[in-house]
Amino acid sequence: MQLTDKDSNIVYFSEWVKDFTCYDAIIEKLNKHQIKYDLLRHTKDYWIRDFMPIQIRETEFIQYKYNPNYLQKDQYYITDPDKCCNHLGISTKKIDIVLDGGNIVKCSDCVIMTDKVFVENNHLSKMQLINILENCFRCEVVFIPWDRYEKYGHTDGMVRFIEDKKVLLNNYIDFDKSLRNRIIADLQNKFEIIELEYSALKLSSHNWAYINYLQVGKFILLPALGTPEDEQAYEQFSEIFSDYQIEQVDVSEIVKLGGALNCISWNVKY
């Protein structure tokens, strides 16, 4: 069994998040529920989920190669995660595979990723890559189709682990039923799938962001967007995570940049 978000007990953010007006509200919610947090130095942007290592055991961290295709013309924004890890006193196991942390959703007995990883590591055969990943994570890797409307190829805006054999699927039923069916086909043999769904006279184009929540232990910080879907999202999450503490904070300024709370955070167990 590997560590999941439910096992984490501290969350880190880049120092850059202090530039967001919602930063104080985020910290207020964390303090209210006594969630430990800290700020990382040596980062070049606020999307720290993408470059920080993956914790699979309490003292085991996997560091992949962070060199995504969407940053090839903006190399300045590629953080060297070793500097962050050295500051924290963390040693990592290096793998020469191009990955994004946002494309890794850890479940108790597997990892879920989009098949964009095959595009970014096309020097390897599909089977070679799968073998490397499964040997490193010491578990099965389940692949779902890349949502081509989202250039980053991240899983954490598509599906999240709930518990046991349950996963949460984003509201593709509202806007892309074909992709929804393909994702379900890839997951249904292993998981019970619970779907998010919203209703409004005009659905927000940003309502995908609710699934990109921050979870630390049994606390969930849920994005709010200032739209009618906010209340619906809160009600659904309160039912799905009935024994969790759930708070909501307006992070629409972050969502407009292409990410949400999971993207700007790195939660681990110490």
Side-chain angles (χ1 to χ4, degrees):
M1 302 288 283
Q2 65 175 340
L3 296 178
T4 66
D5 291 338
K6 190 175 180 179
D7 300 305
S8 63
N9 58 14
I10 186 170
V11 58
Y12 290 89
F13 303 94
S14 163
E15 289 184 318
W16 291 99
V17 300
K18 292 188 292 184
D19 292 341
F20 292 118
T21 58
C22 60
Y23 172 72
D24 289 340
I26 292 171
I27 299 306
E28 179 184 349
K29 299 296 186 185
L30 296 177
N31 285 331
K32 176 182 176 182
H33 293 274
Q34 299 180 314
I35 303 298
K36 295 179 182 178
Y37 67 89
D38 203 351
L39 299 178
L40 285 181
R41 302 178 185 177
H42 311 297
T43 60
K44 292 188 176 181
D45 69 22
Y46 30 78
W47 308 116
I48 70 169
R49 178 72 55 179
D50 292 342
F51 54 78
M52 290 300 286
I54 307 302
Q55 185 182 30
I56 60 171
R57 302 289 187 276
E58 197 156 341
T59 58
E60 282 189 69
F61 294 83
I62 304 298
Q63 184 61 66
Y64 44 88
K65 188 176 179 180
Y66 181 60
N67 190 30
N69 55 11
Y70 56 83
L71 283 182
Q72 293 307 297
K73 295 182 180 179
D74 294 298
Q75 292 282 309
Y76 172 79
Y77 293 104
I78 296 181
T79 295
D80 179 358
D82 285 345
K83 291 183 179 180
C84 301
C85 292
N86 289 340
H87 179 73
L88 295 173
I90 293 173
S91 60
T92 61
K93 177 183 177 180
K94 305 288 196 302
I95 59 172
D96 191 27
I97 301 295
V98 176
L99 280 177
D100 283 21
N103 190 24
I104 299 172
V105 168
K106 294 189 295 179
C107 307
S108 57
D109 64 349
C110 72
V111 167
I112 304 175
M113 305 175 65
T114 73
D115 54 17
K116 182 174 186 274
V117 67
F118 297 116
V119 175
E120 296 211 285
N121 296 279
N122 57 15
H123 60 290
L124 297 170
S125 71
K126 185 174 181 179
M127 190 53 63
Q128 284 176 320
L129 182 56
I130 291 172
N131 286 338
I132 292 171
L133 293 172
E134 292 189 339
N135 285 334
C136 285
F137 293 121
R138 283 188 275 159
C139 66
E140 178 186 4
V141 178
V142 178
F143 296 95
I144 60 175
W146 173 13
D147 180 354
R148 295 293 180 139
Y149 288 102
E150 191 267 287
K151 66 180 181 180
Y152 309 110
H154 289 174
T155 327
D156 64 355
M158 302 175 72
V159 63
R160 298 290 295 274
F161 178 63
I162 300 175
E163 62 180 4
D164 300 327
K165 297 293 184 179
K166 293 183 181 179
V167 293
L168 184 62
L169 179 63
N170 214 350
N171 60 316
Y172 286 101
I173 195 170
D174 293 331
F175 60 89
D176 195 334
K177 291 182 175 61
S178 175
L179 181 57
R180 167 188 177 263
N181 292 339
R182 292 167 59 206
I183 297 170
I184 289 175
D186 288 333
L187 296 177
Q188 63 185 355
N189 291 333
K190 189 172 182 66
F191 297 104
E192 175 187 346
I193 301 167
I194 299 174
E195 295 184 74
L196 295 171
E197 187 174 359
Y198 307 104
S199 61
L201 290 176
K202 184 178 181 181
L203 291 173
S204 169
S205 61
H206 291 150
N207 63 23
W208 58 266
Y210 298 115
I211 203 169
N212 197 261
Y213 56 87
L214 167 62
Q215 179 180 349
V216 184
K218 297 190 76 172
F219 169 75
I220 286 178
L221 188 56
L222 185 65
L225 305 171
T227 66
E229 292 98 312
D230 285 351
E231 185 176 351
Q232 296 174 41
Y234 186 84
E235 290 174 354
Q236 291 179 77
F237 274 80
S238 296
E239 181 177 351
I240 295 164
F241 299 95
S242 58
D243 59 339
Y244 280 56
Q245 297 173 316
I246 300 177
E247 294 278 0
Q248 205 164 19
V249 62
D250 191 327
V251 292
S252 51
E253 63 181 316
I254 299 174
V255 173
K256 290 175 183 177
L257 298 174
L261 287 166
N262 195 62
C263 295
I264 64 165
S265 61
W266 184 62
N267 54 311
V268 292
K269 180 180 181 181
Y270 276 159

